[in-house]
Amino acid sequence: MSETTTGASYAAAGVDIEAGDRAVELMKEWVKKTRRPEVLGGLGGFAGLFDASALKRYERPLLASATDGVGTKVDLARKMGVYDTIGHDLVGMVVDDLVVCGAEPLFMTDYICVGKVHPERVAAIVKGIAEGCVLAGCALVGGETAEHPGLLGEDDFDVAGAGTGVVEADRLLGADRIRTGDAVIAMASSGLHSNGYSLVRHVVFDRAGWSLDREVAEFGRTLGEELLEPTKIYSLDCLALARTTEVHAFSHITGGGLAANLARVIPDGLHATVDRSTWTPGAVFDVVGTAGRVERLELEKTLNMGVGMMAVVPRESADAALTTLADRGVDAWIAGEITERAGHATGATLTGDYAG
C-alpha cells in the first residue's frame, strides 16, 4: 500500500462530528426554554435527569409513557425548507396521547435522524420541539441526533420522540368512568395535524399534480403552507378541563380517524354517537376529498375531519366544560352522546351530514 494513501475515517464515511457539536450548541438556548424545576443538569449528558421526589405529593402516582413520530409530513418540511414547525407536530403526537388518561406530561426526549448534519437545520427542528414542549408544559430533557450517510440523502431527515407523564391513580381517566347519557365534546383541530399524509400527498401530488407553491383559494395561502400547519397541542387545555370539571375520558384523534379513536375509550355495552351536523370540517378536508375523489368514509377513517381531541363528560358538566375551553381559546362543541348498545358492537358511529 502506498504511504500517501489516505486512511479511512468517520468523516470520509460521511459523518461530521464537528457539525454535530455545532448543532448541539445552537439548540441549547431552545432546550433551556423548556426547563422545569424538577430537571437536573443541562444538555450534553448521557441521560436527562428528572427529580422524581416531585412525585411525593401524589398518593399513588402512575407513570404514563408514549412515543410517536410525525410520519411523511417531514417530507413536506424538507421540500419547503421549513424546519421549525415540525417539532410542534412531534410534541403534539406524544403529549396528547399522555393526557388522554389524565396524565400531566413531565418530560420528553427526541430522536432526529439525518442524512447529513446541517447544524442550523437541526437546531431549527429542535427549536420547534422546544416550543411545543413549552405549549405542553413539559421539559425537553435530552435527545439524539444521528447522521446516516448512505442510508438517507443529504437533505433527508426523520424525527421521533418519547414522553413521560404522571397521573394520580384515583384520577385515571378511561372507559371505566363512562356512563350512559354522557356528552361527547369535540375540540377543533388546526388542520390535518400529523396523520394521513401518505393519502394527502398521493392525492395532491400524484393525482391532482399540484405543487407546494400553488395558491389555493379555499386556504387563502399556498398548498404547502396549509399542509405544514402545525398540530394543535391540547395537553394543558385538557388538564385544565379535568381540574375544573368532571371528565370521564379523552380521545386523541390521530391515525384511524374520529370514530376508531373514540371507540378505543368506549366500554362494553355502550356506544358513542357523533353527529356530523354539529360542525363543518376545514377546507383542507373538502379539497383533499374532491381533488382525489376520495369517498367520505375513506376520508373519515384516515383524517381527523376537523376534530383533534374529544372529551366525554357527564351531561350536566357539558356547559361548564365548554366554558372552560372557550376561556382557554379552544373551539369546542357538544358533538354527540353515549348510549346503551346492548347486543350490538361497542364503538362509535358518525351520523348525519356535515354542516355547511
Side-chain angles (χ1 to χ4, degrees):
M1 180 180 292
S2 169
E3 294 182 0
T4 61
T5 299
T6 302
S9 67
Y10 216 11
V15 177
D16 189 339
I17 294 177
E18 291 183 359
D21 292 341
R22 170 64 176 158
V24 171
E25 288 301 313
L26 291 174
M27 68 178 70
K28 280 183 177 179
E29 65 171 298
W30 299 108
V31 175
K32 285 181 181 178
K33 296 178 185 295
T34 75
R35 192 176 183 91
R36 289 175 51 127
E38 304 95 337
V39 175
L40 303 178
L43 195 65
F46 286 91
L49 296 174
F50 189 92
D51 186 356
S53 67
L55 305 184
K56 289 180 179 179
R57 61 187 175 90
Y58 290 83
E59 291 292 326
R60 185 187 170 201
L62 303 180
L63 293 180
S65 178
T67 186
D68 211 336
V70 178
T72 57
K73 191 172 184 177
V74 298
D75 186 56
L76 302 180
R78 177 187 65 82
K79 288 178 177 176
M80 292 187 66
V82 177
Y83 302 97
D84 62 352
T85 62
I86 206 75
H88 287 236
D89 298 289
L90 178 63
V91 175
M93 291 298 98
V94 172
V95 300
D96 287 338
D97 275 356
L98 292 175
V99 82
V100 162
C101 69
E104 174 193 358
L106 298 175
F107 56 85
M108 273 191 66
T109 57
D110 62 53
Y111 175 76
I112 303 171
C113 181
V114 300
K116 180 178 176 59
V117 172
H118 300 280
E120 290 75 14
R121 187 177 300 173
V122 172
I125 295 171
V126 174
K127 171 180 178 287
I129 297 172
E131 289 174 339
C133 284
V134 170
L135 292 173
C138 69
L140 181 60
V141 298
E144 170 71 6
T145 300
E147 193 171 23
H148 289 176
L151 182 63
L152 298 176
E154 285 196 4
D155 292 329
D156 292 338
F157 75 99
D158 198 8
V159 295
T164 298
V166 62
V167 60
E168 188 69 75
D170 63 7
R171 300 287 294 172
L172 184 68
L173 304 180
D176 61 326
R177 290 179 177 260
I178 294 179
R179 300 290 183 265
T180 301
D182 282 355
V184 178
I185 292 177
M187 302 179 214
S189 69
S190 57
L192 295 170
H193 285 185
S194 298
N195 298 103
Y197 274 79
S198 292
L199 170 64
V200 172
R201 289 164 58 246
H202 172 66
V203 165
V204 298
F205 300 139
D206 299 337
R207 301 198 65 167
W210 292 359
S211 61
L212 286 168
D213 60 0
R214 179 189 177 99
E215 293 285 344
V216 182
E218 294 91 335
F219 303 157
R221 54 182 173 177
T222 68
L223 174 65
E225 289 169 335
E226 178 67 28
L227 297 186
L228 272 194
E229 179 67 34
T231 299
K232 181 171 177 57
I233 297 172
Y234 301 91
S235 58
L236 291 183
D237 302 315
C238 290
L239 291 173
L241 187 60
R243 285 195 304 269
T244 59
T245 62
E246 183 178 354
V247 176
H248 288 166
F250 289 115
S251 177
H252 188 196
I253 311 305
T254 56
L258 192 156
N261 281 286
L262 183 55
R264 294 166 66 179
V265 298
I266 306 301
D268 291 342
L270 298 183
H271 196 87
T273 301
V274 175
D275 185 356
R276 296 184 184 95
S277 70
T278 59
W279 82 97
T280 302
V284 66
F285 303 100
D286 183 59
V287 168
V288 169
T290 301
R293 290 182 292 180
V294 185
E295 294 183 359
R296 185 171 72 178
L297 291 180
E298 182 66 24
L299 282 177
E300 290 178 341
K301 73 178 185 181
T302 307
L303 307 179
N304 66 56
M305 301 307 292
V307 177
M309 181 71 75
M310 304 196 88
V312 181
V313 306
R315 188 62 183 84
E316 60 272 18
S317 300
D319 289 342
L322 292 177
T323 297
T324 296
L325 292 171
D327 289 344
R328 298 184 61 83
V330 178
D331 183 14
W333 61 95
I334 296 175
E337 64 177 345
I338 304 298
T339 58
E340 290 188 16
R341 198 67 176 265
H344 296 273
T346 297
T349 301
L350 302 183
T351 64
D353 293 317
Y354 293 111

